[in-house]
Amino acid sequence: MSVTIYDVAKKANVSMATVSRVINGNTNVKPITRQKVLDAIEELGFRPNAVARGLASRKTTSVGVIIPDVANLFIADLARGIEDIATMYKYHIILSSSDQQKTKEIDLFYNMLEKQVDGIIFMGTTITDEHIEAFKKANIPVILAATIAESEELASVNIDYYQAIQDAIQFIEEKSKGDIGFVTSPLNNRSNEIRKQSFVDAMKKSGKSDAELEKLIFNSDDTYDSGIQASHYFLGLEEKPETILVSSDELALGVIHGLQDEGLKVPEDIAVVGFDNTRLATMVRPTLTTVMQPMYDIGAVSMRLLTKLLQGEQVEEKQVTLPHRIIERDSTK
Amino acid sequence: MSVTIYDVAKKANVSMATVSRVINGNTNVKPITRQKVLDAIEELGFRPNAVARGLASRKTTSVGVIIPDVANLFIADLARGIEDIATMYKYHIILSSSDQQKTKEIDLFYNMLEKQVDGIIFMGTTITDEHIEAFKKANIPVILAATIAESEELASVNIDYYQAIQDAIQFIEEKSKGDIGFVTSPLNNRSNEIRKQSFVDAMKKSGKSDAELEKLIFNSDDTYDSGIQASHYFLGLEEKPETILVSSDELALGVIHGLQDEGLKVPEDIAVVGFDNTRLATMVRPTLTTVMQPMYDIGAVSMRLLTKLLQGEQVEEKQVTLPHRIIERDSTK
DNA sequence: CTGAAAGCGCTAACAC
DNA sequence: GTGTTAGCGCTTTCAG
């Protein structure tokens, strides 16, 4: 069938151990021997069987990546960041989508353990005790990417969502004294919950009553269409907000278009601020002012952190917080 | 270290062969024995090591997927289609991006062979002899998804790109007698080449000279920004086209916004037709008339085809052509 | 219906 | 520097 290390050894008149040394770049091989082996490999078209290697060495050089959904620009950037760094460190990626379902998240996690991945990067919704139990049981490093866990033992890479919303509100208030509406993404996601809480806290601080506050919040499901619905909701209000702060860019496009479809002008009539800074933010008119969440970097840093953990490098801080910032474009005055 | 099949066997007082039978759903096990084994598995928290299993059975139940770029909506849909079906058939996905580089495409391919994937779904640019050689050398099924190969031996799932452009042109000509401009995606991709050829053929048939034709084509690099450039190019022409046919939706958004930024109205002044029908097509004003390329289905059908090949099912036709159609929205009159 | 035993292709001590 | 020899954890004949 296919050519093995043993065939190479025979052809090169050496032992399989020597062949193994050569393919693993072990230095203790005489140059002449090495060349002999290399020639035999070349001639036979030998390619090491990664499965056998994985079994023998207990390392697969693959890492599992669990994300909510591939078909999401925002998450794709994360994936790209992970992949670029993984390639750099010669790791392979086994990628699966959980569709935001908790049971699937956990199933996938165990499946990846069965595959003997060397580590896992996990992006999910809310981290439950069940998640934590699974993570602990795994004897491999797990990194949470753009995913909040209360537990301080878990390695993670995030931005400060609470502060990001505070900053966005401050930014908005510097430009306009009017009300701010808020469109949430689904609250089964901890980071969305935090954003909402941040908004609530800020509004209360400026003296809004619970009743007022409630009207200013629209709970969406994080799709373009629900962005459109959100815009309708706000337009139906007696006291319309002057600015709408939206939990994601895709949602924000929906809001903008929803407003425009009703004949309003953005930002003259109502300003809109997004969140994420995906490519979408510049693919709309007016271009979208948004809170940049560096997804590519979150992916890249997560993967880099994982490689450090995997290679036993010193890691000073397992919980990384990356900077965010407001990117001002034309959807605000 | 971790619990193995042997530990389970000992605990259940059976041989490891029996345990193996149980976990593989082999029927030849007495119910009572099966239960004993199941209990032991449960108690020990045993999870089979997929690597060892892969080595012993020479099957990994993983399939490799090579795509040009994760961070592309259009491709993400493909990935999603693949994934959904893979999950259904209990295959795992090893996903890698080639960044459209031929050497990387081939490297990834060989890497996946080393990982002993059971099959590979390949989406790439132009299939060269080198590709074909690699595909042949692999003793596993390979499916080309949304990727053209001249060779008839390769399994593939595509739409008829040539016809799709013909249809688009016919659609346009039914609405408007004016010139049609064409924005290509990079021509290092065979399917883009075909689309361009289709456009050229159609224009020649309607009597355009080579010189006229040349002016009507703008070669882009398939980004939003180059869509904007394309619009500037066409606006600079003495005889402006009445409709611009664009090779991808993202590009088309660029064209639309480029036109609008210059004060033109779409579709009144110039109409725009996209290609792909990604989610973007509805996330723009006016919404985009576009040629639907069913990427999700291409992914799903590719994966399904692969499972058939993998399970030795009868496959009547290895080259599948999926239907396309024009979706009319507001960017055309 | 169940067990024994021989690998799958490679790595990793341990010798020499 | 290089070879020998155990395994890694499982599947898969082959017996019985």
Side-chain angles (χ1 to χ4, degrees), chain A residues 250-288:
Chain A
E250 180 162 343
L251 218 36
L253 291 215
V255 171
I256 289 180
H257 289 149
L259 295 173
Q260 291 173 340
D261 290 349
E262 297 298 321
L264 297 237
K265 280 204 182 323
V266 178
E268 291 78 359
D269 297 325
I270 295 186
V272 176
V273 176
F275 202 108
D276 287 345
N277 193 40
T278 55
R279 251 175 325 133
L280 289 179
T282 57
M283 293 166 64
V284 60
R285 293 297 180 271
T287 53
L288 184 65

Side-chain angles (χ1 to χ4, degrees), chain A residues 167-178 180 242-243 267 271-273 289 326-333:
Chain A
D167 292 350
I169 291 172
Q170 194 191 328
F171 170 89
I172 292 167
E173 288 181 337
E174 279 167 11
K175 321 209 136 217
S176 136
K177 289 290 150 220
I180 304 176
E242 260 181 32
T243 306
V272 176
V273 176
T289 295
I326 314 281
I327 297 188
E328 184 170 3
R329 296 202 183 84
D330 300 335
S331 67
T332 47
K333 280 179 270 202

